[in-house]
Amino acid sequence: MEVLWRRRVFVGRVLFILVLCLWIPTQVVGRTGTTTTITNSITSSRPSVVKIGALFTHYSVIGRSAKPAVLAARDDINANSTVLPDVKLEVILHDTNCSGFVGTVEALQLMENEVVAAVGPQSSGIAHVISHVVNELHVPLVSFGATDPSLSSLQYPYFVRSTQSDYYQMYAIADMVDYYRWREVIPIYVDDDNARNGISILGDALAKKRAKISYKAAFPPGASETDISDLLNGVNLMESRVYVLHVNPDTGLSIFALAKKLGMMTSGYVWIATDWLASALDSLELVDSSTMNLLQGVLVLRHHTPDTDQKKSFLSRLKSPNNKKTPGFNSYALYAYDSIWLVAHALDAFFKQGGRISFTSDPKLRDTNGSLLHLSSLHVFEDGPLFLQTILKTNFTGLSGLVQFDSERNRIRPAYDILNMGGFGSRRIGYWSNYSGLSVVAPEILYKKPPNTSTSNQKLYDVIWPGETTTKPRGWVFPNNGKPLRIAVPYRVGYLEFVTKDKNPPGVRGYCIDVFEAAINLLPYPVPRQYILFGHGDKNPSYDDLINQVALNNYDAAVGDITIVPNRTRVLDFTQPFMESGLVVVVAVKEIKSSPWSFLQPFTAQMWCVTGAFFIFVGAVVWVLEHRHNPEFRGKPKKQLMTVFWFSFSTMFFSHRENTVSGLGRLVLIIWLFVVLIINSSYTASLTSILTVQQLSSQIEGIDSLISGTQPIGIQDGSFARKYLIEELSIQPSRIVSLKNMDAYIDALQRGPKDGGVVAVVDELPYIEILMSNTNCKFRTVGQEFTKSGWGFAFQRDSPLAVDMSTAILQLSENGDLQKIHDKWLLKHDCTAQDNVDSNKLSLSSFWGLFLICGIACILCLIAFFIRVLCQYTKFRPEPVEADVEIEPVRSSRPFRSTTSFRHLMDFVDKKEKDIKEMQQNNKRRRSLSLEDQSNSPTYK
């Protein structure tokens, strides 16, 4: 129907233009048979009078404000000596009478006056038609009221918009919708050029915010109250409660009156009105209470114009007692005033550039033989292209703010006030500009700062919504057409704990259903719902097919053990996961009997080697430290070697019989006994675990070994695991075997690949936990989870239920109800205590710190011992050897450079500490006696 309607509009427009081309000027029709000779060129370098036209509906909401503003601008320009000096600006007014046909005829009549520019019209529909005329005649069309975004297209080069385009207004609405987290909007609008194109822009703007127009409620111009009432009734039965009203200011208030009668202005509804409502209200000197009761809680956009003294003075002058017909003025008065000044500034610059006002006949517009049409009365402005560029380059500050144009001939720095209707007037809750988005700070201040449109920077003051509530409406309800939510539930044949068919209402039961019902009960609104089983019940359905059916609008949601994976999130919205999940590998295992060599299993081979080496090393260190002090560590070499080994290994059982007498030896022994204590305790605990816990083994160690093999792998029917194994892990499809239920799992795993079974099963962890629990832990998972995901409830794209249900699931998790539901359906045995043998083995990595401490202590003690020995050896000075004196080591001047000296050193080290002290005392006595003899001997001179 919409295509047919557009086609009819197009055909009607073409016919309408053809009629206009055949239009007979009234001045020509009134003439007798004579014809007037028209000069081919009418030229003036700087004329004394310049004519411009003004075209709008004088008695409309916009026209009543624009007309006195246009006349005031004309008078101010003529009284100003700096702009257009010695030139009188004449404004020719034409009334379009709210008619497209009349407006077009008036525009053609206006062009006969050889105007250099036309200000207006206020209607976008008329602007579309007139733009073709001004394109032909090269006359700029400066409009202060035509806001249709499509007028900025390259098709209309002579159209200049001196007001803000609806393009920005629609993006402001989209930002508001996103700010309040609404996702669906229903625009209500007049189906004309202006509103239709604006709503199209709104759809594009909402799409960028992940929102959408759920339904376009359009009505034809001049629709009756009955038609509009029927339209509102239909809209009220729909889901969305966010309405954008984009209509004409002259008739828009009647729609609110009808909505009030239908109960659509109460709590839960959201009404956003475009700038038409602010224009209508600003035109009234006093808004009565009945009108404000209709508008309570409505959000309204209004053109933002800076509050300057010049603006206040101008509005005060317009509201003088002389303007009795116009008690109030809206923002279009400011734009109309600035439009006249724009043309004046451009004309002044045009003349300074050497521009000339010159009109010539258009050869295309000529009378044919025998025709009564006098198209030659329409002339072309020769320097129109130059004048157009001058207008677009003009830059000045007017009543509406900075007047400057961008590359698309639109005003720069578009901004809107956001108003909240309530009480006896309106309250400004913020601003919008394309520079910084939503803000409570005026755009003039933000222009001095760097642009910031981040989400965290968007802010508005609190709103009083319809129904006089401050609680933000959800923006949607379930449709009032009696249609419940259609929920698809997978018809499973295995693992029925999660979801299965039930004879009692609602027809399904299981863990997933209980979680969904508990979350629904937490929502602050009722949700009518109907569960529909998906599948035939002979095998598990394909979950990807289930997701696609919801995406195709055959169902509204899907509830069950549905895994959240990327390809599904591209077409549907999922809630917060209510159960963590991930793919794991489960295998059949064989019990291993205890072997005669089980006592070696607590330690790894590396641990055994390092421990044995440290026993010998510590024994050797203690022997070195005790050899000079302790007679138990002296004797023949064979005996001393046996002592070292005996002492070392006897410390394992704390049964060493040799005592340590040196301080360094005792220090090393204390540290080593502590290490031995830790090792013994760990060995005992590990050996106990190995001998008492059932041990299991498997040929599959994880997903890597499974990928590298060639044996068949089992998966569950309908699971996403098949696609994941093939596409992500590059496993051959021929290796994958679909299994129907848990019994099929058990049978395939027990038979193994040699007897037609599978080597392992790849499935999600919740299913595997149920499998292991029901089989008394006879199966085991190997390796780690190689995917991380979760189960969630699926809803159609941008469904507001997805967000609310996510919040409800988080509440269930916080208050413990989610765990209670889990325990009710999925309480299981713990199979994680029994592990394989390798996990009980102790490696060097667990003890290297102890060995490091012990080794450092031994080395430091050895260093201290040898330093002490070297000090003793350097202080020892041998005396001449006598026959009856025991042979003592002779100190050489270079003791470390000869074999004899080194042997003497080793002999010195091997001596007992007691003997060394006696030798030092004897040496000391001999030196003292020698000194006495030298002092008593005679001296010869």
Side-chain angles (χ1 to χ4, degrees), residues 595-608 611 678-692 695 836-847:
S595 70
W597 303 99
S598 298
F599 68 92
L600 294 176
Q601 294 178 358
F603 288 162
T604 61
Q606 185 185 34
M607 180 65 182
W608 279 117
T611 303
I678 299 299
I679 292 176
N680 282 343
S681 301
S682 302
Y683 176 85
T684 303
S686 181
L687 182 61
T688 302
S689 176
I690 290 174
L691 296 178
T692 57
Q695 299 301 313
N836 54 34
V837 177
D838 292 338
S839 63
N840 289 323
K841 287 190 174 183
L842 300 174
S843 63
L844 180 62
S845 60
S846 302
F847 299 94

mmCIF file of all heavy atoms in Angstrom, residues 595-608 611 678-692 695 836-847:
data_model
loop_
_atom_site.group_PDB
_atom_site.id
_atom_site.type_symbol
_atom_site.label_atom_id
_atom_site.label_comp_id
_atom_site.label_asym_id
_atom_site.label_seq_id
_atom_site.Cartn_x
_atom_site.Cartn_y
_atom_site.Cartn_z
ATOM 1 N N SER A 595 51.250 -51.987 42.120
ATOM 2 C CA SER A 595 52.405 -52.787 41.705
ATOM 3 C C SER A 595 53.398 -52.920 42.855
ATOM 4 O O SER A 595 53.348 -52.160 43.821
ATOM 5 C CB SER A 595 53.076 -52.113 40.503
ATOM 6 O OG SER A 595 53.708 -50.913 40.909
ATOM 7 N N PRO A 596 54.335 -53.901 42.755
ATOM 8 C CA PRO A 596 55.351 -54.054 43.815
ATOM 9 C C PRO A 596 56.257 -52.845 43.928
ATOM 10 O O PRO A 596 56.955 -52.690 44.936
ATOM 11 C CB PRO A 596 56.136 -55.293 43.355
ATOM 12 C CG PRO A 596 55.216 -56.023 42.437
ATOM 13 C CD PRO A 596 54.408 -54.979 41.765
ATOM 14 N N TRP A 597 56.293 -52.002 42.915
ATOM 15 C CA TRP A 597 57.182 -50.842 42.940
ATOM 16 C C TRP A 597 56.415 -49.553 43.232
ATOM 17 O O TRP A 597 56.860 -48.463 42.887
ATOM 18 C CB TRP A 597 57.904 -50.715 41.605
ATOM 19 C CG TRP A 597 58.678 -51.951 41.242
ATOM 20 C CD1 TRP A 597 58.298 -52.935 40.405
ATOM 21 C CD2 TRP A 597 59.937 -52.318 41.781
ATOM 22 N NE1 TRP A 597 59.241 -53.923 40.349
ATOM 23 C CE2 TRP A 597 60.279 -53.561 41.195
ATOM 24 C CE3 TRP A 597 60.829 -51.746 42.694
ATOM 25 C CZ2 TRP A 597 61.456 -54.229 41.490
ATOM 26 C CZ3 TRP A 597 61.999 -52.405 42.981
ATOM 27 C CH2 TRP A 597 62.312 -53.638 42.392
ATOM 28 N N SER A 598 55.296 -49.675 43.879
ATOM 29 C CA SER A 598 54.492 -48.485 44.189
ATOM 30 C C SER A 598 55.200 -47.518 45.120
ATOM 31 O O SER A 598 54.904 -46.322 45.129
ATOM 32 C CB SER A 598 53.153 -48.899 44.814
ATOM 33 O OG SER A 598 52.399 -49.670 43.917
ATOM 34 N N PHE A 599 56.155 -48.064 45.921
ATOM 35 C CA PHE A 599 56.827 -47.197 46.879
ATOM 36 C C PHE A 599 57.704 -46.154 46.186
ATOM 37 O O PHE A 599 58.111 -45.162 46.807
ATOM 38 C CB PHE A 599 57.680 -48.033 47.845
ATOM 39 C CG PHE A 599 58.862 -48.700 47.184
ATOM 40 C CD1 PHE A 599 60.094 -48.075 47.150
ATOM 41 C CD2 PHE A 599 58.741 -49.949 46.608
ATOM 42 C CE1 PHE A 599 61.181 -48.684 46.557
ATOM 43 C CE2 PHE A 599 59.825 -50.561 46.002
ATOM 44 C CZ PHE A 599 61.050 -49.930 45.969
ATOM 45 N N LEU A 600 58.026 -46.356 44.899
ATOM 46 C CA LEU A 600 58.824 -45.379 44.168
ATOM 47 C C LEU A 600 57.979 -44.272 43.542
ATOM 48 O O LEU A 600 58.519 -43.273 43.071
ATOM 49 C CB LEU A 600 59.629 -46.087 43.067
ATOM 50 C CG LEU A 600 60.702 -47.062 43.528
ATOM 51 C CD1 LEU A 600 61.342 -47.745 42.328
ATOM 52 C CD2 LEU A 600 61.770 -46.351 44.358
ATOM 53 N N GLN A 601 56.667 -44.434 43.520
ATOM 54 C CA GLN A 601 55.806 -43.506 42.806
ATOM 55 C C GLN A 601 55.614 -42.147 43.465
ATOM 56 O O GLN A 601 55.302 -41.171 42.787
ATOM 57 C CB GLN A 601 54.437 -44.150 42.564
ATOM 58 C CG GLN A 601 54.490 -45.335 41.631
ATOM 59 C CD GLN A 601 53.126 -45.997 41.444
ATOM 60 O OE1 GLN A 601 52.154 -45.578 42.060
ATOM 61 N NE2 GLN A 601 53.075 -47.022 40.610
ATOM 62 N N PRO A 602 55.783 -42.021 44.787
ATOM 63 C CA PRO A 602 55.567 -40.679 45.374
ATOM 64 C C PRO A 602 56.479 -39.606 44.800
ATOM 65 O O PRO A 602 56.090 -38.446 44.740
ATOM 66 C CB PRO A 602 55.828 -40.897 46.858
ATOM 67 C CG PRO A 602 55.503 -42.330 47.091
ATOM 68 C CD PRO A 602 55.929 -43.041 45.855
ATOM 69 N N PHE A 603 57.732 -39.969 44.412
ATOM 70 C CA PHE A 603 58.662 -38.978 43.880
ATOM 71 C C PHE A 603 58.916 -39.257 42.408
ATOM 72 O O PHE A 603 58.918 -40.411 41.968
ATOM 73 C CB PHE A 603 59.994 -38.999 44.627
ATOM 74 C CG PHE A 603 59.916 -38.436 46.025
ATOM 75 C CD1 PHE A 603 60.916 -38.715 46.958
ATOM 76 C CD2 PHE A 603 58.869 -37.614 46.408
ATOM 77 C CE1 PHE A 603 60.854 -38.203 48.238
ATOM 78 C CE2 PHE A 603 58.801 -37.099 47.689
ATOM 79 C CZ PHE A 603 59.791 -37.386 48.605
ATOM 80 N N THR A 604 59.169 -38.192 41.691
ATOM 81 C CA THR A 604 59.619 -38.351 40.313
ATOM 82 C C THR A 604 61.080 -38.790 40.317
ATOM 83 O O THR A 604 61.778 -38.699 41.341
ATOM 84 C CB THR A 604 59.472 -37.027 39.538
ATOM 85 O OG1 THR A 604 60.283 -36.025 40.168
ATOM 86 C CG2 THR A 604 58.023 -36.559 39.518
ATOM 87 N N ALA A 605 61.559 -39.257 39.174
ATOM 88 C CA ALA A 605 62.945 -39.726 39.078
ATOM 89 C C ALA A 605 63.915 -38.598 39.395
ATOM 90 O O ALA A 605 64.947 -38.805 40.069
ATOM 91 C CB ALA A 605 63.197 -40.278 37.678
ATOM 92 N N GLN A 606 63.629 -37.422 38.955
ATOM 93 C CA GLN A 606 64.494 -36.273 39.224
ATOM 94 C C GLN A 606 64.555 -35.978 40.717
ATOM 95 O O GLN A 606 65.630 -35.688 41.264
ATOM 96 C CB GLN A 606 63.976 -35.052 38.460
ATOM 97 C CG GLN A 606 64.872 -33.836 38.571
ATOM 98 C CD GLN A 606 64.266 -32.617 37.903
ATOM 99 O OE1 GLN A 606 63.057 -32.452 37.912
ATOM 100 N NE2 GLN A 606 65.098 -31.784 37.295
ATOM 101 N N MET A 607 63.413 -36.105 41.359
ATOM 102 C CA MET A 607 63.369 -35.846 42.796
ATOM 103 C C MET A 607 64.199 -36.880 43.554
ATOM 104 O O MET A 607 64.934 -36.555 44.500
ATOM 105 C CB MET A 607 61.908 -35.856 43.269
ATOM 106 C CG MET A 607 61.723 -35.600 44.749
ATOM 107 S SD MET A 607 62.245 -33.946 45.223
ATOM 108 C CE MET A 607 61.953 -34.018 47.005
ATOM 109 N N TRP A 608 64.077 -38.152 43.136
ATOM 110 C CA TRP A 608 64.875 -39.199 43.795
ATOM 111 C C TRP A 608 66.360 -38.914 43.625
ATOM 112 O O TRP A 608 67.136 -39.027 44.585
ATOM 113 C CB TRP A 608 64.541 -40.577 43.199
ATOM 114 C CG TRP A 608 63.291 -41.211 43.747
ATOM 115 C CD1 TRP A 608 62.175 -41.511 43.065
ATOM 116 C CD2 TRP A 608 63.076 -41.627 45.088
ATOM 117 N NE1 TRP A 608 61.232 -42.083 43.875
ATOM 118 C CE2 TRP A 608 61.771 -42.175 45.158
ATOM 119 C CE3 TRP A 608 63.828 -41.591 46.245
ATOM 120 C CZ2 TRP A 608 61.227 -42.686 46.323
ATOM 121 C CZ3 TRP A 608 63.282 -42.107 47.419
ATOM 122 C CH2 TRP A 608 61.984 -42.636 47.453
ATOM 123 N N THR A 611 67.517 -35.858 45.746
ATOM 124 C CA THR A 611 67.482 -36.165 47.175
ATOM 125 C C THR A 611 68.680 -37.035 47.570
ATOM 126 O O THR A 611 69.361 -36.785 48.584
ATOM 127 C CB THR A 611 66.162 -36.870 47.529
ATOM 128 O OG1 THR A 611 65.071 -36.039 47.143
ATOM 129 C CG2 THR A 611 66.074 -37.152 49.021
ATOM 130 N N ILE A 678 60.608 -32.585 56.231
ATOM 131 C CA ILE A 678 59.634 -32.205 55.206
ATOM 132 C C ILE A 678 59.536 -33.280 54.132
ATOM 133 O O ILE A 678 58.445 -33.667 53.703
ATOM 134 C CB ILE A 678 60.013 -30.852 54.579
ATOM 135 C CG1 ILE A 678 60.027 -29.751 55.648
ATOM 136 C CG2 ILE A 678 59.038 -30.483 53.466
ATOM 137 C CD1 ILE A 678 58.707 -29.538 56.332
ATOM 138 N N ILE A 679 60.673 -33.802 53.717
ATOM 139 C CA ILE A 679 60.668 -34.825 52.658
ATOM 140 C C ILE A 679 59.966 -36.089 53.140
ATOM 141 O O ILE A 679 59.168 -36.702 52.417
ATOM 142 C CB ILE A 679 62.108 -35.115 52.201
ATOM 143 C CG1 ILE A 679 62.684 -33.889 51.483
ATOM 144 C CG2 ILE A 679 62.151 -36.328 51.276
ATOM 145 C CD1 ILE A 679 64.132 -34.039 51.086
ATOM 146 N N ASN A 680 60.269 -36.505 54.352
ATOM 147 C CA ASN A 680 59.635 -37.714 54.898
ATOM 148 C C ASN A 680 58.120 -37.554 54.994
ATOM 149 O O ASN A 680 57.357 -38.465 54.645
ATOM 150 C CB ASN A 680 60.211 -38.031 56.278
ATOM 151 C CG ASN A 680 61.572 -38.691 56.180
ATOM 152 O OD1 ASN A 680 61.942 -39.190 55.120
ATOM 153 N ND2 ASN A 680 62.334 -38.695 57.273
ATOM 154 N N SER A 681 57.685 -36.405 55.472
ATOM 155 C CA SER A 681 56.239 -36.183 55.629
ATOM 156 C C SER A 681 55.545 -36.188 54.267
ATOM 157 O O SER A 681 54.473 -36.789 54.106
ATOM 158 C CB SER A 681 55.991 -34.847 56.334
ATOM 159 O OG SER A 681 56.612 -34.821 57.606
ATOM 160 N N SER A 682 56.142 -35.535 53.291
ATOM 161 C CA SER A 682 55.547 -35.494 51.952
ATOM 162 C C SER A 682 55.524 -36.873 51.315
ATOM 163 O O SER A 682 54.538 -37.255 50.668
ATOM 164 C CB SER A 682 56.333 -34.515 51.065
ATOM 165 O OG SER A 682 56.352 -33.227 51.629
ATOM 166 N N TYR A 683 56.591 -37.610 51.485
ATOM 167 C CA TYR A 683 56.647 -38.960 50.914
ATOM 168 C C TYR A 683 55.559 -39.851 51.519
ATOM 169 O O TYR A 683 54.867 -40.585 50.815
ATOM 170 C CB TYR A 683 58.030 -39.568 51.170
ATOM 171 C CG TYR A 683 58.159 -41.002 50.710
ATOM 172 C CD1 TYR A 683 58.482 -41.301 49.398
ATOM 173 C CD2 TYR A 683 57.950 -42.057 51.595
ATOM 174 C CE1 TYR A 683 58.591 -42.620 48.966
ATOM 175 C CE2 TYR A 683 58.054 -43.378 51.182
ATOM 176 C CZ TYR A 683 58.378 -43.649 49.864
ATOM 177 O OH TYR A 683 58.475 -44.952 49.448
ATOM 178 N N THR A 684 55.407 -39.766 52.839
ATOM 179 C CA THR A 684 54.406 -40.582 53.516
ATOM 180 C C THR A 684 52.997 -40.252 53.039
ATOM 181 O O THR A 684 52.193 -41.140 52.759
ATOM 182 C CB THR A 684 54.511 -40.385 55.040
ATOM 183 O OG1 THR A 684 55.832 -40.699 55.470
ATOM 184 C CG2 THR A 684 53.518 -41.282 55.766
ATOM 185 N N ALA A 685 52.698 -38.938 52.931
ATOM 186 C CA ALA A 685 51.360 -38.531 52.493
ATOM 187 C C ALA A 685 51.093 -38.967 51.060
ATOM 188 O O ALA A 685 50.002 -39.471 50.745
ATOM 189 C CB ALA A 685 51.221 -37.016 52.624
ATOM 190 N N SER A 686 52.065 -38.798 50.171
ATOM 191 C CA SER A 686 51.877 -39.173 48.776
ATOM 192 C C SER A 686 51.719 -40.676 48.615
ATOM 193 O O SER A 686 50.876 -41.152 47.862
ATOM 194 C CB SER A 686 53.056 -38.666 47.952
ATOM 195 O OG SER A 686 52.902 -39.000 46.600
ATOM 196 N N LEU A 687 52.532 -41.452 49.344
ATOM 197 C CA LEU A 687 52.439 -42.909 49.241
ATOM 198 C C LEU A 687 51.095 -43.404 49.771
ATOM 199 O O LEU A 687 50.478 -44.309 49.191
ATOM 200 C CB LEU A 687 53.584 -43.562 50.019
ATOM 201 C CG LEU A 687 53.656 -45.085 49.967
ATOM 202 C CD1 LEU A 687 53.842 -45.554 48.533
ATOM 203 C CD2 LEU A 687 54.769 -45.601 50.863
ATOM 204 N N THR A 688 50.618 -42.779 50.826
ATOM 205 C CA THR A 688 49.304 -43.154 51.359
ATOM 206 C C THR A 688 48.204 -42.902 50.341
ATOM 207 O O THR A 688 47.312 -43.727 50.152
ATOM 208 C CB THR A 688 49.021 -42.367 52.652
ATOM 209 O OG1 THR A 688 50.050 -42.629 53.598
ATOM 210 C CG2 THR A 688 47.681 -42.751 53.242
ATOM 211 N N SER A 689 48.276 -41.744 49.673
ATOM 212 C CA SER A 689 47.268 -41.420 48.664
ATOM 213 C C SER A 689 47.314 -42.395 47.493
ATOM 214 O O SER A 689 46.284 -42.834 47.001
ATOM 215 C CB SER A 689 47.494 -39.988 48.170
ATOM 216 O OG SER A 689 46.607 -39.683 47.132
ATOM 217 N N ILE A 690 48.512 -42.762 47.092
ATOM 218 C CA ILE A 690 48.644 -43.662 45.949
ATOM 219 C C ILE A 690 48.109 -45.047 46.275
ATOM 220 O O ILE A 690 47.450 -45.697 45.451
ATOM 221 C CB ILE A 690 50.124 -43.734 45.521
ATOM 222 C CG1 ILE A 690 50.545 -42.403 44.901
ATOM 223 C CG2 ILE A 690 50.357 -44.882 44.540
ATOM 224 C CD1 ILE A 690 52.013 -42.309 44.587
ATOM 225 N N LEU A 691 48.332 -45.516 47.471
ATOM 226 C CA LEU A 691 47.941 -46.872 47.823
ATOM 227 C C LEU A 691 46.480 -46.990 48.223
ATOM 228 O O LEU A 691 45.893 -48.067 48.144
ATOM 229 C CB LEU A 691 48.825 -47.381 48.969
ATOM 230 C CG LEU A 691 50.312 -47.529 48.642
ATOM 231 C CD1 LEU A 691 51.080 -47.989 49.865
ATOM 232 C CD2 LEU A 691 50.531 -48.493 47.488
ATOM 233 N N THR A 692 45.868 -45.869 48.657
ATOM 234 C CA THR A 692 44.492 -45.947 49.148
ATOM 235 C C THR A 692 43.465 -45.419 48.166
ATOM 236 O O THR A 692 42.290 -45.779 48.238
ATOM 237 C CB THR A 692 44.353 -45.166 50.471
ATOM 238 O OG1 THR A 692 44.752 -43.818 50.258
ATOM 239 C CG2 THR A 692 45.227 -45.791 51.543
ATOM 240 N N GLN A 695 43.245 -45.626 41.335
ATOM 241 C CA GLN A 695 44.019 -45.021 40.267
ATOM 242 C C GLN A 695 43.409 -45.362 38.909
ATOM 243 O O GLN A 695 42.922 -46.463 38.703
ATOM 244 C CB GLN A 695 45.474 -45.508 40.332
ATOM 245 C CG GLN A 695 46.162 -45.144 41.643
ATOM 246 C CD GLN A 695 46.178 -43.657 41.860
ATOM 247 O OE1 GLN A 695 46.516 -42.914 40.948
ATOM 248 N NE2 GLN A 695 45.796 -43.217 43.043
ATOM 249 N N ASN A 836 44.424 -39.082 38.662
ATOM 250 C CA ASN A 836 45.347 -40.088 38.155
ATOM 251 C C ASN A 836 46.641 -40.090 38.938
ATOM 252 O O ASN A 836 46.888 -39.248 39.799
ATOM 253 C CB ASN A 836 45.604 -39.865 36.666
ATOM 254 C CG ASN A 836 46.071 -38.456 36.376
ATOM 255 O OD1 ASN A 836 46.763 -37.868 37.178
ATOM 256 N ND2 ASN A 836 45.671 -37.925 35.243
ATOM 257 N N VAL A 837 47.510 -41.038 38.603
ATOM 258 C CA VAL A 837 48.727 -41.247 39.366
ATOM 259 C C VAL A 837 49.661 -40.057 39.255
ATOM 260 O O VAL A 837 50.273 -39.643 40.227
ATOM 261 C CB VAL A 837 49.429 -42.531 38.864
ATOM 262 C CG1 VAL A 837 50.732 -42.747 39.589
ATOM 263 C CG2 VAL A 837 48.510 -43.719 39.033
ATOM 264 N N ASP A 838 49.774 -39.529 38.104
ATOM 265 C CA ASP A 838 50.742 -38.465 37.879
ATOM 266 C C ASP A 838 50.481 -37.262 38.766
ATOM 267 O O ASP A 838 51.406 -36.562 39.162
ATOM 268 C CB ASP A 838 50.724 -38.035 36.414
ATOM 269 C CG ASP A 838 51.259 -39.136 35.508
ATOM 270 O OD1 ASP A 838 52.003 -39.992 36.032
ATOM 271 O OD2 ASP A 838 50.928 -39.138 34.306
ATOM 272 N N SER A 839 49.214 -37.013 39.080
ATOM 273 C CA SER A 839 48.906 -35.843 39.898
ATOM 274 C C SER A 839 49.377 -36.013 41.328
ATOM 275 O O SER A 839 49.496 -35.043 42.059
ATOM 276 C CB SER A 839 47.404 -35.576 39.873
ATOM 277 O OG SER A 839 46.713 -36.663 40.436
ATOM 278 N N ASN A 840 49.636 -37.288 41.797
ATOM 279 C CA ASN A 840 50.091 -37.531 43.161
ATOM 280 C C ASN A 840 51.603 -37.561 43.284
ATOM 281 O O ASN A 840 52.135 -37.628 44.384
ATOM 282 C CB ASN A 840 49.540 -38.862 43.670
ATOM 283 C CG ASN A 840 48.051 -38.786 43.938
ATOM 284 O OD1 ASN A 840 47.578 -37.767 44.390
ATOM 285 N ND2 ASN A 840 47.331 -39.845 43.629
ATOM 286 N N LYS A 841 52.308 -37.569 42.176
ATOM 287 C CA LYS A 841 53.764 -37.591 42.226
ATOM 288 C C LYS A 841 54.301 -36.220 42.609
ATOM 289 O O LYS A 841 53.830 -35.200 42.141
ATOM 290 C CB LYS A 841 54.338 -38.020 40.880
ATOM 291 C CG LYS A 841 54.158 -39.503 40.589
ATOM 292 C CD LYS A 841 54.948 -39.903 39.360
ATOM 293 C CE LYS A 841 54.883 -41.412 39.142
ATOM 294 N NZ LYS A 841 55.703 -41.849 38.004
ATOM 295 N N LEU A 842 55.330 -36.259 43.492
ATOM 296 C CA LEU A 842 55.962 -35.022 43.932
ATOM 297 C C LEU A 842 57.217 -34.803 43.114
ATOM 298 O O LEU A 842 58.056 -35.690 42.990
ATOM 299 C CB LEU A 842 56.296 -35.092 45.423
ATOM 300 C CG LEU A 842 55.084 -35.316 46.352
ATOM 301 C CD1 LEU A 842 55.542 -35.517 47.773
ATOM 302 C CD2 LEU A 842 54.130 -34.150 46.256
ATOM 303 N N SER A 843 57.356 -33.615 42.574
ATOM 304 C CA SER A 843 58.501 -33.304 41.732
ATOM 305 C C SER A 843 59.440 -32.357 42.451
ATOM 306 O O SER A 843 59.154 -31.847 43.536
ATOM 307 C CB SER A 843 58.031 -32.687 40.420
ATOM 308 O OG SER A 843 57.373 -31.455 40.668
ATOM 309 N N LEU A 844 60.580 -32.107 41.806
ATOM 310 C CA LEU A 844 61.595 -31.236 42.399
ATOM 311 C C LEU A 844 61.079 -29.811 42.556
ATOM 312 O O LEU A 844 61.533 -29.080 43.439
ATOM 313 C CB LEU A 844 62.847 -31.260 41.511
ATOM 314 C CG LEU A 844 64.035 -30.412 41.975
ATOM 315 C CD1 LEU A 844 64.549 -30.897 43.329
ATOM 316 C CD2 LEU A 844 65.155 -30.448 40.941
ATOM 317 N N SER A 845 60.123 -29.419 41.699
ATOM 318 C CA SER A 845 59.617 -28.042 41.759
ATOM 319 C C SER A 845 58.970 -27.714 43.103
ATOM 320 O O SER A 845 58.872 -26.553 43.474
ATOM 321 C CB SER A 845 58.602 -27.813 40.631
ATOM 322 O OG SER A 845 57.506 -28.707 40.763
ATOM 323 N N SER A 846 58.541 -28.747 43.831
ATOM 324 C CA SER A 846 57.907 -28.511 45.129
ATOM 325 C C SER A 846 58.910 -28.362 46.260
ATOM 326 O O SER A 846 58.539 -27.935 47.362
ATOM 327 C CB SER A 846 56.948 -29.668 45.448
ATOM 328 O OG SER A 846 55.975 -29.818 44.447
ATOM 329 N N PHE A 847 60.202 -28.733 46.042
ATOM 330 C CA PHE A 847 61.175 -28.764 47.137
ATOM 331 C C PHE A 847 62.466 -28.026 46.823
ATOM 332 O O PHE A 847 63.376 -28.022 47.657
ATOM 333 C CB PHE A 847 61.527 -30.226 47.484
ATOM 334 C CG PHE A 847 60.361 -31.046 47.945
ATOM 335 C CD1 PHE A 847 59.649 -31.815 47.045
ATOM 336 C CD2 PHE A 847 59.954 -31.032 49.263
ATOM 337 C CE1 PHE A 847 58.567 -32.570 47.463
ATOM 338 C CE2 PHE A 847 58.874 -31.784 49.696
ATOM 339 C CZ PHE A 847 58.171 -32.548 48.791
#
